[in-house]
């Protein structure tokens, strides 16, 4: 079984191929270039190195959100184009779940934090020591409220994600439970984790209709899950409201 993974929900651009539970190839770049410049050339280069015939793919797994609206749209358009051209299904993998999956086998509470600006993060809570247990599904959350929730739970915490350098000082100040930060090779989005979760979903599709919120869909039906309105939508709503409130959630990036 061959599953191609695509991850473009943040600054990271990543593509990977998982073949029968083996990571066959991965190309990841964490640099300030638009994903429209990077994803297809990266995929083309990886396919050439692996001598991969894209028609042999069983499915394309894509990080389906949350994250950068622009990044998610580019990833979705790339995946849908491949799926429609190759007549392959798409696998919708929640972004935060895939980020947490980097920490497979780690003990303690796994807490990915993606910076969403204005003291907001996209986050979720997981146990991964004996399988993947979702304790709190991915959602936007105020960083102060997340700190209170983690202290209430009383477990040691491992943080990862691009929110760590932004909120490291706040974490050290407000978190009263033991905590640590994932190392460089595990602390950002990876298409390998997207493809691995996608492979599990594809394997379980006939039995359960998905795997921990990961679902297989026809390519034409795939849509990203933004978890919130875009900046333009919120600005429009603010202009229409008597109070002119812009709301607490952060803008697009």
């Amino acid at each position: 079984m061959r599953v191609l993974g695509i991850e473009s929900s943040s600054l990271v651009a990543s593509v990977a191929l998982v073949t029968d539970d083996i990571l066959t190839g991965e190309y990841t770049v964490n640099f300030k270039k638009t994903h429209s410049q990077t994803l297809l050339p990266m995929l083309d280069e990886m396919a050439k190195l692996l001598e991969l015939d894209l028609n042999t793919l069983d499915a394309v797994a894509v990080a389906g959100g949350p994250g950068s609206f622009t990044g998610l749209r580019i990833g979705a358009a790339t995946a849908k184009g491949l799926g429609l051209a190759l007549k392959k299904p798409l696998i919708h993998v929640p972004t935060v779940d895939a980020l947490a999956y980097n920490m497979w086998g780690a003990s303690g509470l796994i807490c990915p934090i993606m910076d969403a600006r204005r003291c907001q993060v996209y986050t979720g809570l997981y146990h991964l020591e004996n399988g993947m247990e979702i304790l709190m599904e991915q959602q936007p959350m105020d960083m102060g409220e997340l700190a209170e929730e983690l202290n209430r739970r009383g477990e040691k915490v491992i943080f990862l994600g691009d929110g760590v350098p932004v909120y490291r000082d706040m974490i050290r100040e407000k978190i009263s439970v033991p905590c640590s930060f994932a190392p460089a090779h595990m602390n950002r989005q990876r298409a390998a984790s997207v493809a691995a979760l996608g492979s599990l979903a594809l394997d379980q599709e006939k039995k359960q209709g998905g795997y921990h919120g990961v679902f297989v869909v026809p390519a034409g039906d795939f849509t990203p899950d933004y978890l919130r309105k875009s900046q333009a939508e919120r600005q429009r709503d603010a202009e229409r409201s008597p109070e002119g409130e812009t709301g607490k959630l952060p803008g697009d990036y």
Side-chain angles (χ1 to χ4, degrees), residues 106-119:
S107 61
L109 195 60
I110 308 303
C111 182
I113 51 173
M114 296 173 61
D115 181 29
R117 301 184 180 182
R118 301 183 187 178
C119 209

Side-chain angles (χ1 to χ4, degrees), residues 151 171 174-178:
N151 290 336
I171 288 169
K174 293 184 175 293
I175 297 295
S176 59
V177 296

Side-chain angles (χ1 to χ4, degrees), residues 169-191:
D169 291 342
M170 185 178 181
I171 288 169
R172 288 172 171 163
E173 176 185 351
K174 293 184 175 293
I175 297 295
S176 59
V177 296
C179 66
S180 59
F181 303 100
H185 65 292
M186 305 168 79
N187 67 14
R188 292 293 187 275
Q189 286 89 340
R190 293 184 60 183

Side-chain angles (χ1 to χ4, degrees), residues 54-173:
L54 294 176
N55 288 293
T56 64
L57 295 173
D58 291 283
V60 179
V62 58
S68 159
F69 277 55
T70 302
L72 291 174
R73 288 177 183 132
I74 293 171
T78 302
K80 289 181 77 168
L82 287 170
L84 291 169
L86 300 171
K87 297 181 172 59
K88 306 294 182 181
L90 266 55
I91 307 173
H92 186 289
V93 180
T95 303
V96 181
D97 291 8
L99 183 54
Y101 202 60
N102 291 356
M103 303 300 299
W104 175 268
S107 61
L109 195 60
I110 308 303
C111 182
I113 51 173
M114 296 173 61
D115 181 29
R117 301 184 180 182
R118 301 183 187 178
C119 209
Q120 296 276 324
V121 293
Y122 293 119
T123 189
L125 297 177
Y126 307 82
H127 282 156
L128 287 163
E129 189 171 8
N130 298 301
M132 186 173 187
E133 180 185 3
I134 301 175
L135 305 175
M136 183 178 79
E137 292 188 356
Q138 62 175 25
Q139 59 186 273
M141 196 171 192
D142 178 82
M143 190 61 201
E145 293 177 0
L146 176 60
E148 293 176 0
E149 175 64 21
L150 294 172
N151 290 336
R152 184 188 67 78
R153 288 178 178 268
E155 296 183 61
K156 69 175 183 178
V157 185
I158 300 176
F159 290 96
L160 67 157
D162 61 20
V164 169
V166 179
Y167 298 106
R168 189 186 299 268
D169 291 342
M170 185 178 181
I171 288 169
R172 288 172 171 163
E173 176 185 351

Side-chain angles (χ1 to χ4, degrees), residues 2-72:
R2 284 181 168 176
V3 174
L4 176 71
I6 295 175
E7 166 59 80
S8 62
S9 63
S10 68
L11 186 62
V12 174
S14 183
V15 294
L17 180 69
V18 169
T19 305
D20 295 332
D21 296 325
I22 297 172
L23 177 59
T24 315
E26 183 178 24
Y27 194 156
T28 299
V29 176
N30 187 9
F31 192 68
K32 295 180 179 180
K33 286 191 175 182
T34 63
H35 298 318
S36 59
Q37 293 176 288
T38 56
L39 279 180
L40 286 176
M42 289 164 59
L43 174 58
D44 183 58
E45 183 67 20
M46 188 178 73
K48 287 178 180 177
L49 287 171
L50 298 176
E51 298 180 353
L52 172 66
D53 179 357
L54 294 176
N55 288 293
T56 64
L57 295 173
D58 291 283
V60 179
V62 58
S68 159
F69 277 55
T70 302
L72 291 174

